[in-house]
């Protein structure tokens, strides 16, 4: 069950590639992916189905979602300094997570820690301030790609 939830996140991440940024389908898939990220681990623990496969799927799903969002958002946004700092903070925490996983387990894994969950929360929260605080830019973007307001 938990692995199926994680696979939904991978599918949502890939499907985002075919959506216009900031469109209703984009946000629908993005929010679904964020929700599945929040619940897959909890479902696995409660059902007693925690596995290495599930952990690897979760890491893959996170990677797919991050890369897809970067591919879709960087070309259409002119980021301000705080956004680059936000992205850098997420990247630094992810690198620390992978290095600590390697140091502890002697293999390339992402440790599912509080820090890892924190980076997921930071990443998930990124488009919300962009949407709320950049309405002027988004209206210009919608007109340029002929989206309805």
């Amino acid at each position: 069950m938990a692995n199926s939830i994680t696979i939904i996140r991978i599918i949502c991440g890939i499907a985002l590639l075919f959506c216009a940024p900031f469109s209703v389908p984009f946000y629908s898939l993005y929010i679904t992916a964020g929700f599945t990220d929040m619940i897959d681990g909890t479902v696995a623990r409660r059902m007693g189905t925690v596995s290495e496969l599930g952990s690897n799927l979760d890491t893959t799903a996170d990677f797919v979602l991050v890369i897809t969002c970067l591919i879709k958002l960087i070309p259409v946004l002119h980021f301000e300094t705080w956004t680059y700092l936000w992205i850098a903070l997420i990247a630094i925490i992810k690198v620390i997570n992978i290095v600590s996983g390697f140091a502890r387990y002697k293999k390339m894994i992402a440790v599912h820690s509080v820090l890892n969950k924190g980076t997921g929360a930071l990443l998930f929260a990124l488009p919300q301030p962009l949407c709320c605080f950049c309405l002027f830019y988004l209206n210009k973007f919608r007109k340029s790609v002929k989206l309805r307001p």
Side-chain angles (χ1 to χ4, degrees):
M1 178 71 147
N3 289 348
S4 298
I5 294 169
T6 305
I7 289 169
I8 290 170
R9 185 161 77 256
I10 294 170
I11 293 167
C12 286
I14 293 168
L16 283 171
L17 289 171
F18 303 100
C19 297
F22 307 113
S23 65
V24 171
F26 181 89
Y27 273 114
S28 298
L29 289 166
Y30 187 80
I31 289 169
T32 301
F35 181 70
T36 62
D37 191 24
M38 291 186 286
I39 65 169
D40 60 354
T42 302
V43 168
R45 285 185 293 279
R46 290 208 175 148
M47 295 182 76
T49 58
V50 174
S51 68
E52 188 170 335
L53 172 63
S55 177
N56 290 336
L57 273 175
D58 188 61
T59 301
T60 300
D62 289 345
F63 182 77
V64 167
L65 188 59
V66 168
I67 296 302
T68 300
C69 287
L70 290 174
I71 288 169
K72 293 303 286 187
L73 297 178
I74 286 178
V76 299
L77 295 176
H78 300 285
F79 290 126
E80 294 190 25
T81 303
W82 71 267
T83 312
Y84 287 113
L85 294 174
W86 193 313
I87 293 169
L89 176 64
I90 293 168
I92 289 167
I93 293 171
K94 287 289 189 185
V95 168
I96 290 169
N97 188 26
I98 291 170
V99 169
S100 66
F102 185 77
R104 185 171 182 183
Y105 300 106
K106 304 298 184 234
K107 60 183 178 177
M108 295 302 290
I109 63 168
V111 179
H112 294 277
S113 64
V114 173
L115 262 181
N116 192 40
K117 290 296 179 187
T119 59
L122 286 172
L123 179 64
F124 183 67
L126 179 60
Q128 280 68 27
L130 291 175
C131 181
C132 295
F133 298 116
C134 303
L135 293 176
F136 175 76
Y137 176 77
L138 293 175
N139 285 332
K140 283 181 71 173
F141 173 74
R142 285 187 172 132
K143 288 177 186 173
S144 72
V145 294
K146 298 181 175 119
L147 295 175
R148 286 185 233 161

